[in-house]
Amino acid sequence: MRSLAAIGDVLEGGVADATPAENARDLLHLGEEVLEHWLHAKGLKPTASKAEGFRLLGLHRQGAKGDPSFNACRETCRELVYHYNLITMAPDDSESAQRLVMMRLVASHVYYFVSGKMQSAQLGEFCCSSRDLRLKQAS
Amino acid sequence: MTDNRTDKYKKVAYYPGCALEGTGHAYNRSTKEVGKALGLELEDVKNWNCCGAMEVKNIDPKVQTYLSSRVMSQAVNEMGHSVVMAPCNGCYHNLKKAEYDLKNDETSRQVVDRISAKAGHKTYKAGEIETIHALDWIKHGIGEEGLKSRVKKSLKGMKVANYYGCMYTRPRHIFPEKDKGAGSESTSKPHFMDDLLAAAGAANVDFPLKTACCGGAHTLSDSDMSTKLVLNILKAAEASGANVIATECPTCHSGLEMHQIRAEKKFGVKTNVKILYFTQLLGMALGLSPKKVGVHENMSDSFDLLQQQGLA
Protein backbone atom coordinates (compact mmCIF):
# COMPACT_ATOMS: atom_id res chain seq x y z
CA MET A 1 0.00 0.00 0.00
CA ARG A 2 1.31 3.43 -0.94
CA SER A 3 1.75 6.11 1.71
CA LEU A 4 -0.81 8.92 1.85
CA ALA A 5 1.86 11.34 0.65
CA ALA A 6 2.57 9.11 -2.36
CA ILE A 7 -1.16 8.96 -3.13
CA GLY A 8 -1.28 12.76 -2.90
CA ASP A 9 1.58 12.99 -5.38
CA VAL A 10 -0.29 10.76 -7.83
CA LEU A 11 -3.44 12.89 -7.55
CA GLU A 12 -1.57 16.15 -7.92
CA GLY A 13 0.43 14.81 -10.87
CA GLY A 14 -0.80 14.54 -14.44
CA VAL A 15 -3.07 11.88 -15.93
CA ALA A 16 -1.24 8.61 -16.56
CA ASP A 17 -0.66 7.55 -20.17
CA ALA A 18 -3.35 4.88 -20.17
CA THR A 19 -6.85 4.31 -21.47
CA PRO A 20 -9.76 6.05 -19.72
CA ALA A 21 -10.92 2.71 -18.30
CA GLU A 22 -7.44 1.93 -16.91
CA ASN A 23 -7.19 5.38 -15.40
CA ALA A 24 -10.64 4.98 -13.85
CA ARG A 25 -9.62 1.63 -12.33
CA ASP A 26 -6.49 3.24 -10.88
CA LEU A 27 -8.46 6.08 -9.34
CA LEU A 28 -10.97 3.69 -7.81
CA HIS A 29 -8.15 1.62 -6.36
CA LEU A 30 -6.50 4.75 -5.06
CA GLY A 31 -9.73 5.62 -3.24
CA GLU A 32 -9.66 2.17 -1.65
CA GLU A 33 -6.09 2.71 -0.49
CA VAL A 34 -7.05 6.03 1.13
CA LEU A 35 -9.82 4.31 3.08
CA GLU A 36 -7.44 1.49 4.03
CA HIS A 37 -5.21 4.12 5.67
CA TRP A 38 -8.16 5.35 7.69
CA LEU A 39 -9.00 1.82 8.83
CA HIS A 40 -5.40 0.99 9.73
CA ALA A 41 -5.23 4.18 11.78
CA LYS A 42 -8.30 2.97 13.66
CA GLY A 43 -6.59 -0.39 14.30
CA LEU A 44 -8.89 -2.30 11.96
CA LYS A 45 -8.14 -4.79 9.23
CA PRO A 46 -9.61 -3.41 6.00
CA THR A 47 -12.43 -5.59 4.75
CA ALA A 48 -12.35 -7.40 1.44
CA SER A 49 -16.15 -7.34 1.36
CA LYS A 50 -18.09 -5.26 -1.11
CA ALA A 51 -21.12 -3.06 -0.57
CA GLU A 52 -23.39 -2.40 -3.54
CA GLY A 53 -20.84 -4.25 -5.68
CA PHE A 54 -17.80 -2.19 -4.73
CA ARG A 55 -15.04 -2.73 -2.20
CA LEU A 56 -14.65 1.04 -1.90
CA LEU A 57 -18.17 1.27 -0.49
CA GLY A 58 -17.53 -1.76 1.73
CA LEU A 59 -14.47 -0.02 3.16
CA HIS A 60 -16.43 3.19 3.67
CA ARG A 61 -19.16 1.35 5.53
CA GLN A 62 -16.54 -0.29 7.74
CA GLY A 63 -14.82 3.06 8.36
CA ALA A 64 -18.03 4.82 9.36
CA LYS A 65 -19.05 2.20 11.90
CA GLY A 66 -19.01 3.92 15.31
CA ASP A 67 -17.83 7.14 13.67
CA PRO A 68 -20.85 8.71 11.99
CA SER A 69 -18.97 11.87 11.01
CA PHE A 70 -17.07 9.72 8.49
CA ASN A 71 -20.30 9.65 6.52
CA ALA A 72 -19.41 13.15 5.34
CA CYS A 73 -17.45 11.38 2.59
CA ARG A 74 -20.09 8.73 1.83
CA GLU A 75 -21.57 10.53 -1.14
CA THR A 76 -18.12 11.44 -2.42
CA CYS A 77 -17.21 7.74 -2.41
CA ARG A 78 -20.45 6.98 -4.23
CA GLU A 79 -19.63 9.66 -6.81
CA LEU A 80 -16.27 7.99 -7.34
CA VAL A 81 -18.04 4.72 -8.08
CA TYR A 82 -20.56 6.53 -10.33
CA HIS A 83 -17.77 8.06 -12.41
CA TYR A 84 -15.97 4.72 -12.56
CA ASN A 85 -19.16 3.18 -13.96
CA LEU A 86 -19.67 6.02 -16.44
CA ILE A 87 -16.15 5.62 -17.80
CA THR A 88 -15.77 1.86 -17.79
CA MET A 89 -19.23 1.15 -19.21
CA ALA A 90 -18.69 3.50 -22.15
CA PRO A 91 -14.93 3.98 -22.45
CA ASP A 92 -15.16 5.26 -26.01
CA ASP A 93 -17.73 7.91 -25.19
CA SER A 94 -16.66 11.37 -26.33
CA GLU A 95 -17.07 12.62 -22.75
CA SER A 96 -14.72 10.04 -21.19
CA ALA A 97 -11.79 12.44 -20.93
CA GLN A 98 -13.93 15.04 -19.16
CA ARG A 99 -15.38 12.38 -16.88
CA LEU A 100 -11.88 11.32 -15.97
CA VAL A 101 -10.99 14.89 -15.00
CA MET A 102 -14.01 14.95 -12.74
CA MET A 103 -13.26 11.52 -11.30
CA ARG A 104 -9.77 12.70 -10.38
CA LEU A 105 -11.25 15.72 -8.54
CA VAL A 106 -13.70 13.46 -6.71
CA ALA A 107 -10.86 11.08 -5.73
CA SER A 108 -8.86 14.08 -4.55
CA HIS A 109 -11.73 15.10 -2.29
CA VAL A 110 -11.79 11.68 -0.63
CA TYR A 111 -8.02 11.95 -0.18
CA TYR A 112 -8.10 15.48 1.32
CA PHE A 113 -11.05 14.67 3.55
CA VAL A 114 -9.49 11.51 5.01
CA SER A 115 -6.02 13.04 5.30
CA GLY A 116 -7.43 16.05 7.13
CA LYS A 117 -9.50 13.89 9.39
CA MET A 118 -6.50 11.75 10.29
CA GLN A 119 -4.41 14.81 11.11
CA SER A 120 -6.97 16.39 13.36
CA ALA A 121 -9.25 13.61 14.43
CA GLN A 122 -10.26 15.32 17.65
CA LEU A 123 -11.63 18.60 16.42
CA GLY A 124 -15.23 18.18 17.38
CA GLU A 125 -18.51 16.84 16.18
CA PHE A 126 -19.46 19.75 13.94
CA CYS A 127 -17.91 18.12 10.96
CA CYS A 128 -14.78 15.96 10.97
CA SER A 129 -14.59 14.94 14.52
CA SER A 130 -13.84 12.66 17.31
CA ARG A 131 -17.06 11.60 18.91
CA ASP A 132 -15.07 9.67 21.50
CA LEU A 133 -13.35 12.79 22.76
CA ARG A 134 -16.60 14.68 22.98
CA LEU A 135 -18.31 11.92 24.92
CA LYS A 136 -15.33 11.50 27.27
CA GLN A 137 -15.40 15.20 28.05
CA ALA A 138 -19.11 15.13 28.64
CA SER A 139 -19.00 12.23 31.07
CA MET B 1 -45.71 14.71 2.82
CA THR B 2 -48.72 16.48 1.23
CA ASP B 3 -49.85 19.11 2.24
CA ASN B 4 -51.02 22.21 3.92
CA ARG B 5 -47.56 23.69 3.83
CA THR B 6 -48.37 26.47 1.37
CA ASP B 7 -50.55 28.00 4.08
CA LYS B 8 -48.47 26.83 7.01
CA TYR B 9 -45.25 28.40 5.72
CA LYS B 10 -46.85 31.77 4.86
CA LYS B 11 -45.78 33.11 8.24
CA VAL B 12 -43.05 31.39 10.22
CA ALA B 13 -40.74 32.12 13.13
CA TYR B 14 -37.32 33.16 11.84
CA TYR B 15 -34.17 32.00 13.59
CA PRO B 16 -31.23 33.71 11.86
CA GLY B 17 -28.53 32.47 14.27
CA CYS B 18 -25.25 34.22 14.90
CA ALA B 19 -23.62 33.70 11.48
CA LEU B 20 -26.38 35.61 9.71
CA GLU B 21 -25.73 38.61 11.90
CA GLY B 22 -22.01 38.46 11.06
CA THR B 23 -20.21 36.96 8.09
CA GLY B 24 -23.46 35.69 6.60
CA HIS B 25 -25.25 39.03 6.69
CA ALA B 26 -25.86 38.97 2.94
CA TYR B 27 -27.77 35.70 3.44
CA ASN B 28 -29.89 37.32 6.15
CA ARG B 29 -30.63 40.32 3.99
CA SER B 30 -31.42 38.31 0.86
CA THR B 31 -33.59 35.79 2.73
CA LYS B 32 -35.72 38.58 4.18
CA GLU B 33 -35.99 40.39 0.84
CA VAL B 34 -36.95 37.22 -1.02
CA GLY B 35 -39.58 36.52 1.64
CA LYS B 36 -41.07 39.99 1.14
CA ALA B 37 -41.05 39.62 -2.64
CA LEU B 38 -42.80 36.27 -2.40
CA GLY B 39 -45.32 37.30 0.23
CA LEU B 40 -43.85 34.97 2.83
CA GLU B 41 -43.65 36.49 6.28
CA LEU B 42 -40.87 36.06 8.82
CA GLU B 43 -41.07 36.95 12.50
CA ASP B 44 -37.77 36.93 14.38
CA VAL B 45 -37.65 34.54 17.32
CA LYS B 46 -37.80 36.79 20.36
CA ASN B 47 -34.65 36.95 22.46
CA TRP B 48 -33.09 34.04 20.59
CA ASN B 49 -29.85 32.43 21.74
CA CYS B 50 -26.98 30.43 20.24
CA CYS B 51 -28.00 27.00 18.93
CA GLY B 52 -24.98 25.47 20.65
CA ALA B 53 -23.09 25.29 17.36
CA MET B 54 -20.00 23.13 17.62
CA GLU B 55 -18.38 24.77 20.61
CA VAL B 56 -20.96 23.81 23.21
CA LYS B 57 -21.73 20.49 21.54
CA ASN B 58 -18.13 19.40 21.83
CA ILE B 59 -18.00 20.05 25.55
CA ASP B 60 -21.48 18.92 26.54
CA PRO B 61 -23.92 17.81 23.84
CA LYS B 62 -26.85 17.87 26.30
CA VAL B 63 -26.32 21.58 26.89
CA GLN B 64 -26.44 22.07 23.13
CA THR B 65 -29.73 20.19 23.10
CA TYR B 66 -31.02 22.58 25.75
CA LEU B 67 -29.83 25.70 23.89
CA SER B 68 -31.54 24.63 20.68
CA SER B 69 -34.65 23.61 22.62
CA ARG B 70 -34.87 27.09 24.13
CA VAL B 71 -35.00 28.63 20.66
CA MET B 72 -37.89 26.31 19.80
CA SER B 73 -39.55 27.03 23.14
CA GLN B 74 -39.42 30.77 22.46
CA ALA B 75 -40.94 30.29 19.01
CA VAL B 76 -43.77 28.04 20.16
CA ASN B 77 -44.47 29.12 23.73
CA GLU B 78 -43.72 32.85 23.59
CA MET B 79 -44.83 33.52 20.02
CA GLY B 80 -47.32 30.77 19.22
CA HIS B 81 -45.65 29.61 16.01
CA SER B 82 -45.91 26.09 14.64
CA VAL B 83 -42.93 26.43 12.28
CA VAL B 84 -39.45 27.81 12.83
CA MET B 85 -37.19 28.48 9.83
CA ALA B 86 -33.40 28.40 10.18
CA PRO B 87 -31.46 29.29 7.01
CA CYS B 88 -28.08 28.35 8.49
CA ASN B 89 -27.20 24.69 8.03
CA GLY B 90 -25.53 24.56 11.46
CA CYS B 91 -28.58 25.99 13.26
CA TYR B 92 -31.00 23.90 11.19
CA HIS B 93 -29.00 20.76 11.96
CA ASN B 94 -28.80 21.54 15.69
CA LEU B 95 -32.52 22.25 16.07
CA LYS B 96 -33.31 19.01 14.23
CA LYS B 97 -30.82 17.13 16.41
CA ALA B 98 -32.37 18.56 19.57
CA GLU B 99 -35.82 17.54 18.31
CA TYR B 100 -34.55 14.00 17.71
CA ASP B 101 -32.83 13.79 21.09
CA LEU B 102 -35.88 15.05 22.95
CA LYS B 103 -38.08 12.55 21.18
CA ASN B 104 -35.79 9.59 21.75
CA ASP B 105 -33.61 10.15 24.79
CA GLU B 106 -34.91 10.35 28.35
CA THR B 107 -31.67 11.84 29.74
CA SER B 108 -31.88 14.68 27.23
CA ARG B 109 -35.47 15.35 28.31
CA GLN B 110 -34.42 15.45 31.97
CA VAL B 111 -31.49 17.80 31.31
CA VAL B 112 -33.60 20.15 29.20
CA ASP B 113 -36.38 20.14 31.79
CA ARG B 114 -33.94 20.90 34.60
CA ILE B 115 -32.16 23.77 32.83
CA SER B 116 -35.41 25.21 31.47
CA ALA B 117 -36.85 25.33 35.00
CA LYS B 118 -33.71 27.00 36.27
CA ALA B 119 -33.83 29.53 33.41
CA GLY B 120 -37.48 30.20 34.16
CA HIS B 121 -39.13 29.30 30.86
CA LYS B 122 -41.45 26.59 29.65
CA THR B 123 -39.72 23.36 28.66
CA TYR B 124 -39.85 22.59 24.95
CA LYS B 125 -41.42 19.21 24.21
CA ALA B 126 -40.64 17.20 21.08
CA GLY B 127 -43.20 17.67 18.33
CA GLU B 128 -44.42 21.12 19.41
CA ILE B 129 -42.87 22.88 16.44
CA GLU B 130 -41.59 22.00 12.97
CA THR B 131 -38.06 23.11 12.08
CA ILE B 132 -37.46 23.87 8.41
CA HIS B 133 -34.65 25.24 6.25
CA ALA B 134 -34.96 28.27 3.95
CA LEU B 135 -35.05 25.82 1.04
CA ASP B 136 -38.12 24.03 2.49
CA TRP B 137 -39.74 27.38 3.17
CA ILE B 138 -39.59 28.55 -0.45
CA LYS B 139 -39.96 25.12 -2.07
CA HIS B 140 -43.18 24.34 -0.19
CA GLY B 141 -44.36 27.84 0.69
CA ILE B 142 -44.33 29.02 -2.93
CA GLY B 143 -43.20 26.12 -5.11
CA GLU B 144 -41.58 26.15 -8.52
CA GLU B 145 -44.72 27.20 -10.38
CA GLY B 146 -45.38 30.05 -7.98
CA LEU B 147 -41.79 31.15 -8.33
CA LYS B 148 -41.83 30.94 -12.13
CA SER B 149 -44.88 33.19 -12.30
CA ARG B 150 -43.07 35.85 -10.25
CA VAL B 151 -39.75 35.86 -12.14
CA LYS B 152 -38.97 39.26 -13.63
CA LYS B 153 -35.38 38.68 -14.76
CA SER B 154 -34.66 35.12 -15.76
CA LEU B 155 -31.41 33.55 -14.57
CA LYS B 156 -30.95 32.22 -18.10
CA GLY B 157 -27.24 32.00 -18.84
CA MET B 158 -26.33 31.29 -15.24
CA LYS B 159 -24.73 27.86 -15.05
CA VAL B 160 -25.04 26.88 -11.43
CA ALA B 161 -23.24 24.30 -9.31
CA ASN B 162 -25.50 23.85 -6.30
CA TYR B 163 -23.46 23.31 -3.15
CA TYR B 164 -25.38 22.09 -0.10
CA GLY B 165 -22.50 21.22 2.25
CA CYS B 166 -22.49 18.36 4.70
CA MET B 167 -24.87 19.51 7.46
CA TYR B 168 -28.07 19.93 5.43
CA THR B 169 -28.63 16.20 5.04
CA ARG B 170 -26.50 14.56 7.70
CA PRO B 171 -27.02 12.51 9.80
CA ARG B 172 -30.01 11.05 8.03
CA HIS B 173 -31.87 9.97 11.17
CA ILE B 174 -32.50 13.54 12.34
CA PHE B 175 -34.31 14.36 9.08
CA PRO B 176 -37.23 11.89 9.07
CA GLU B 177 -39.11 13.93 6.46
CA LYS B 178 -36.39 13.50 3.85
CA ASP B 179 -36.05 10.53 1.45
CA LYS B 180 -39.82 10.07 1.32
CA GLY B 181 -40.06 9.88 -2.44
CA ALA B 182 -41.42 12.42 -4.90
CA GLY B 183 -41.62 15.92 -3.48
CA SER B 184 -39.31 15.24 -0.57
CA GLU B 185 -35.66 16.15 -0.27
CA SER B 186 -32.99 13.52 -0.89
CA THR B 187 -30.17 13.06 1.59
CA SER B 188 -27.84 11.53 -1.00
CA LYS B 189 -28.62 13.85 -3.91
CA PRO B 190 -30.31 16.95 -2.53
CA HIS B 191 -32.18 18.92 -5.19
CA PHE B 192 -34.41 21.61 -3.62
CA MET B 193 -31.93 24.39 -4.48
CA ASP B 194 -31.54 22.97 -8.00
CA ASP B 195 -35.34 22.94 -8.39
CA LEU B 196 -35.81 26.53 -7.26
CA LEU B 197 -32.99 27.97 -9.33
CA ALA B 198 -34.13 26.03 -12.40
CA ALA B 199 -37.59 27.52 -11.91
CA ALA B 200 -35.94 30.95 -11.99
CA GLY B 201 -34.32 30.10 -15.33
CA ALA B 202 -30.84 28.91 -14.30
CA ALA B 203 -29.14 25.88 -15.83
CA ASN B 204 -27.91 23.53 -13.12
CA VAL B 205 -24.74 21.61 -13.90
CA ASP B 206 -24.09 18.04 -12.84
CA PHE B 207 -21.94 18.70 -9.77
CA PRO B 208 -20.54 15.66 -7.95
CA LEU B 209 -19.40 17.48 -4.79
CA LYS B 210 -22.74 19.01 -3.77
CA THR B 211 -22.63 17.52 -0.26
CA ALA B 212 -18.85 17.17 0.10
CA CYS B 213 -16.90 18.55 3.05
CA CYS B 214 -15.84 22.22 2.73
CA GLY B 215 -13.17 21.84 5.41
CA GLY B 216 -14.97 24.21 7.77
CA ALA B 217 -13.78 22.35 10.86
CA HIS B 218 -10.13 22.63 9.80
CA THR B 219 -10.15 26.35 9.12
CA LEU B 220 -8.28 27.31 12.28
CA SER B 221 -6.31 24.14 12.99
CA ASP B 222 -5.12 23.38 9.46
CA SER B 223 -5.95 26.17 7.06
CA ASP B 224 -4.03 24.59 4.19
CA MET B 225 -6.25 21.51 4.33
CA SER B 226 -9.37 23.70 4.26
CA THR B 227 -7.96 25.59 1.29
CA LYS B 228 -7.25 22.34 -0.57
CA LEU B 229 -10.76 21.01 0.08
CA VAL B 230 -12.33 24.29 -1.05
CA LEU B 231 -10.06 24.58 -4.08
CA ASN B 232 -11.10 21.09 -5.10
CA ILE B 233 -14.77 22.10 -4.87
CA LEU B 234 -14.11 25.25 -6.92
CA LYS B 235 -12.18 23.29 -9.57
CA ALA B 236 -14.90 20.64 -9.76
CA ALA B 237 -17.53 23.38 -10.20
CA GLU B 238 -15.53 24.92 -13.03
CA ALA B 239 -14.91 21.52 -14.61
CA SER B 240 -18.68 20.96 -14.48
CA GLY B 241 -19.11 24.10 -16.59
CA ALA B 242 -20.50 26.31 -13.80
CA ASN B 243 -19.97 30.05 -13.70
CA VAL B 244 -21.48 30.34 -10.24
CA ILE B 245 -21.72 28.23 -7.10
CA ALA B 246 -24.99 28.66 -5.24
CA THR B 247 -24.80 28.18 -1.47
CA GLU B 248 -27.34 27.81 1.32
CA CYS B 249 -25.06 27.76 4.37
CA PRO B 250 -23.15 30.76 5.77
CA THR B 251 -20.23 28.63 6.98
CA CYS B 252 -19.74 26.95 3.61
CA HIS B 253 -20.25 30.24 1.81
CA SER B 254 -17.64 32.21 3.76
CA GLY B 255 -15.27 29.22 3.60
CA LEU B 256 -15.57 29.05 -0.19
CA GLU B 257 -15.04 32.79 -0.52
CA MET B 258 -12.11 33.08 1.88
CA HIS B 259 -10.27 30.01 0.66
CA GLN B 260 -10.78 30.99 -2.97
CA ILE B 261 -8.72 34.09 -2.18
CA ARG B 262 -6.28 32.11 -0.03
CA ALA B 263 -5.78 29.47 -2.73
CA GLU B 264 -4.56 32.15 -5.07
CA LYS B 265 -2.26 33.74 -2.49
CA LYS B 266 -0.91 30.55 -0.94
CA PHE B 267 -0.90 28.08 -3.83
CA GLY B 268 -1.00 30.45 -6.81
CA VAL B 269 -4.15 28.80 -8.14
CA LYS B 270 -6.79 31.19 -9.40
CA THR B 271 -10.37 30.09 -9.95
CA ASN B 272 -12.99 32.31 -11.53
CA VAL B 273 -16.25 30.70 -10.48
CA LYS B 274 -18.44 33.13 -8.49
CA ILE B 275 -20.09 32.35 -5.19
CA LEU B 276 -23.60 33.59 -4.37
CA TYR B 277 -26.28 32.60 -1.89
CA PHE B 278 -29.24 30.96 -3.59
CA THR B 279 -31.43 33.65 -2.02
CA GLN B 280 -29.36 36.32 -3.75
CA LEU B 281 -29.87 34.62 -7.11
CA LEU B 282 -33.59 34.17 -6.49
CA GLY B 283 -33.90 37.77 -5.31
CA MET B 284 -32.34 39.10 -8.51
CA ALA B 285 -34.59 36.82 -10.55
CA LEU B 286 -37.53 38.37 -8.72
CA GLY B 287 -36.36 41.80 -9.88
CA LEU B 288 -34.48 42.94 -6.77
CA SER B 289 -31.25 44.86 -7.28
CA PRO B 290 -27.89 43.25 -6.42
CA LYS B 291 -27.52 45.76 -3.58
CA LYS B 292 -30.92 44.91 -2.16
CA VAL B 293 -29.84 41.27 -1.82
CA GLY B 294 -26.44 42.16 -0.40
CA VAL B 295 -24.17 41.22 -3.30
CA HIS B 296 -21.86 44.06 -2.19
CA GLU B 297 -21.43 42.28 1.15
CA ASN B 298 -19.96 39.17 -0.49
CA MET B 299 -16.20 38.76 -0.73
CA SER B 300 -16.54 37.07 -4.12
CA ASP B 301 -16.87 39.85 -6.70
CA SER B 302 -19.58 38.68 -9.08
CA PHE B 303 -20.55 42.08 -10.47
CA ASP B 304 -19.13 41.51 -13.98
CA LEU B 305 -20.97 38.22 -14.32
CA LEU B 306 -24.22 39.75 -13.06
CA GLN B 307 -23.85 42.59 -15.50
CA GLN B 308 -23.20 40.18 -18.38
CA GLN B 309 -26.36 38.30 -17.44
CA GLY B 310 -28.42 41.46 -17.25
CA LEU B 311 -28.99 41.10 -13.54
CA ALA B 312 -27.05 44.21 -12.50
Side-chain angles (χ1 to χ4, degrees), chain B residues 115-134:
Chain B
I115 307 179
S116 299
K118 211 168 173 180
H121 64 82
K122 211 168 165 187
T123 303
Y124 174 76
K125 310 267 187 224
E128 286 182 321
I129 202 164
E130 179 188 4
T131 296
I132 61 170
H133 191 272

Side-chain angles (χ1 to χ4, degrees), chain B residues 9 36 74 111 128 130 133 143 190 203 239 246 266-267 294:
Chain B
Y9 293 178
K36 272 189 222 164
Q74 288 291 106
V111 170
E128 286 182 321
E130 179 188 4
H133 191 272
K266 177 91 185 183
F267 301 120

Side-chain angles (χ1 to χ4, degrees), chain A residues 68-87:
Chain A
S69 71
F70 199 69
N71 277 322
C73 73
R74 183 187 61 214
E75 303 316 325
T76 319
C77 289
R78 292 171 67 89
E79 286 287 348
L80 196 58
V81 165
Y82 170 69
H83 281 80
Y84 169 83
N85 284 338
L86 278 180
I87 295 164

